Amino acid sequence: MPFQEIAFRAELDRHEDPEFEYQASILCEEDAAARADRVQLLRNMIYERGECVPPRMDDAFLLRFLRARRSIPARAHRLMVRYCKFREQHPHLWKNVYWYSLSKLGETFEGVLFDRPDVGRLIICRLGQWNPDIYPADDLIRGCLLSLEIGIMQPKLQVLGGTAIVDCEGITMKHMRQLSPSIAVQAMNIMGFSFPLHQRGVHIVNCSRWFEKLFHLLKRFAPADELWRKVYFHGYEYTSLHRYIDPECLPKRYGGHRESVSVRDWLTKIKQYKNKQFDDDISCLGYAID
């Protein structure tokens, strides 16, 4: 479906979507009849254990965490604690940030509006398109976090999850000087350790062997997690990428069949269709609204 035909749905945060009940049962091990009980179990854990103070406690918000952890309340609670801890430690990444201002990142973040159960939503970070002389590395993290916070409002993305491509083409030492270990760990946390997204895989393309070695070094600073088994390095070979992601889901740049959509296009479309519910949801998370 062309991007121009996508309308921003008023029911973004509606947690019951009949179109995805079957996928939720398979991908998230979700039982529609037991959904309310599991949400309440998670809510009780949060209150009783007192390890975190979430920005929201309604069913729709808690369900995001359950779906990201196969509907197991104990695992969803651990994820919630990580999520809240990350927000507490890095308030500069979200507090009073005007969400639309991140459209300045332009072509650095993009994706493909073609979702399948085996891939989910494809999100691409083209590091070489980022100009470190104009925007600090923190803006990269803000852009990644924001795109996920808005996207995860949709039941579709909660169920299908997402796949990330990190494209290293064009990276220079100027970029690397700003990509500190702390920035790298923040990015890793957002991609799966501390965010309620079912991460289907992280694929690093157009990278040299030394970048792969650097990644494994930085891995020591991040939490142990099953996500590490889903990180793949493909060098400069797209046929390797195609073994994991069907070209039907990829932009033409990577030997695929799809047109990509930049974060600027995406945010502009959201701004056109946003409503009071969107404003309420995004401001509840600490972002500024116009």
Side-chain angles (χ1 to χ4, degrees):
M1 181 181 298
F3 183 72
Q4 290 74 12
E5 297 178 13
I6 303 294
F8 185 74
R9 302 188 328 180
E11 66 273 21
L12 264 178
D13 203 36
R14 182 165 60 90
H15 65 279
E16 294 184 7
D17 193 327
E19 182 181 354
F20 295 100
E21 290 288 353
Y22 174 73
Q23 286 91 338
S25 68
I26 300 299
L27 299 175
C28 307
E29 300 182 20
E30 183 174 301
D31 180 354
R35 179 189 294 135
D37 290 339
R38 292 189 179 183
V39 168
Q40 189 58 46
L41 278 173
L42 174 56
R43 183 179 290 111
N44 292 342
M45 285 183 183
I46 294 170
Y47 284 134
E48 292 168 4
R49 299 183 183 183
E51 297 177 47
C52 61
V53 181
R56 291 169 50 184
M57 289 290 282
D58 56 279
D59 287 7
F61 186 74
L62 298 183
L63 187 59
R64 301 173 189 178
F65 292 82
L66 283 165
R67 284 176 165 168
R69 289 299 182 265
R70 297 191 177 278
S71 302
I72 301 174
R75 293 188 64 202
H77 178 263
R78 289 195 294 271
L79 177 60
M80 177 69 82
V81 172
R82 283 185 181 178
Y83 174 81
C84 292
K85 184 177 180 179
F86 181 85
R87 283 172 54 86
E88 291 169 3
Q89 292 177 336
H90 308 286
H92 64 288
L93 297 178
W94 54 269
K95 194 170 185 178
N96 295 323
V97 172
Y98 176 41
W99 62 275
Y100 186 71
S101 69
L102 296 178
S103 63
K104 64 189 177 186
L105 293 172
E107 306 299 324
T108 305
F109 288 99
E110 63 180 27
V112 175
L113 294 176
F114 180 76
D115 306 322
R116 291 196 338 187
D118 59 330
V119 175
R121 177 70 52 83
L122 184 64
I123 301 172
I124 304 166
C125 177
R126 301 177 63 196
L127 289 174
Q129 296 296 311
W130 159 52
N131 187 339
D133 290 332
I134 300 177
Y135 308 120
D138 280 345
D139 275 350
L140 290 180
I141 305 301
R142 291 186 182 105
C144 182
L145 180 60
L146 172 71
S147 63
L148 293 177
E149 288 284 17
I150 295 178
I152 205 66
M153 293 178 184
Q154 299 176 323
K156 181 178 184 179
L157 187 56
Q158 294 170 20
V159 170
L160 297 183
T163 297
I165 292 179
V166 180
D167 188 341
C168 301
E169 182 179 11
I171 286 184
T172 66
M173 289 306 299
K174 184 183 295 186
H175 294 93
M176 296 305 299
R177 280 194 290 270
Q178 286 209 32
L179 295 176
S180 64
S182 63
I183 291 292
V185 171
Q186 288 173 26
M188 294 174 194
N189 273 284
I190 292 172
M191 285 193 292
F193 300 131
S194 303
F195 193 84
L197 174 69
H198 177 201
Q199 184 58 261
R200 314 301 295 272
V202 179
H203 300 267
I204 319 294
V205 300
N206 295 321
C207 63
S208 60
R209 295 292 295 179
W210 71 265
F211 189 89
E212 184 175 349
K213 291 178 180 178
L214 177 62
F215 173 86
H216 288 294
L217 177 64
L218 295 175
K219 177 181 173 181
R220 301 177 185 178
F221 297 93
D225 195 280
E226 64 179 14
L227 175 63
W228 294 119
R229 299 199 304 268
K230 301 177 183 178
V231 178
Y232 309 95
F233 288 84
H234 303 284
Y236 301 91
E237 181 54 67
Y238 294 157
T239 57
S240 171
L241 179 66
H242 296 168
R243 289 200 293 268
Y244 296 90
I245 306 177
D246 191 320
E248 180 69 12
C249 305
L250 289 168
K252 296 176 181 178
R253 182 186 307 109
Y254 305 109
H257 310 297
R258 298 289 162 182
E259 298 294 337
S260 59
V261 177
S262 73
V263 69
R264 182 186 293 113
D265 292 336
W266 181 62
L267 291 175
T268 298
K269 199 67 173 180
I270 289 175
K271 189 174 184 181
Q272 179 180 350
Y273 287 100
K274 78 182 186 71
N275 56 17
K276 184 178 184 302
Q277 181 181 353
F278 176 85
D279 285 346
D280 290 345
D281 290 345
I282 205 72
S283 63
C284 183
L285 292 173
Y287 289 94
I289 58 174
D290 55 351

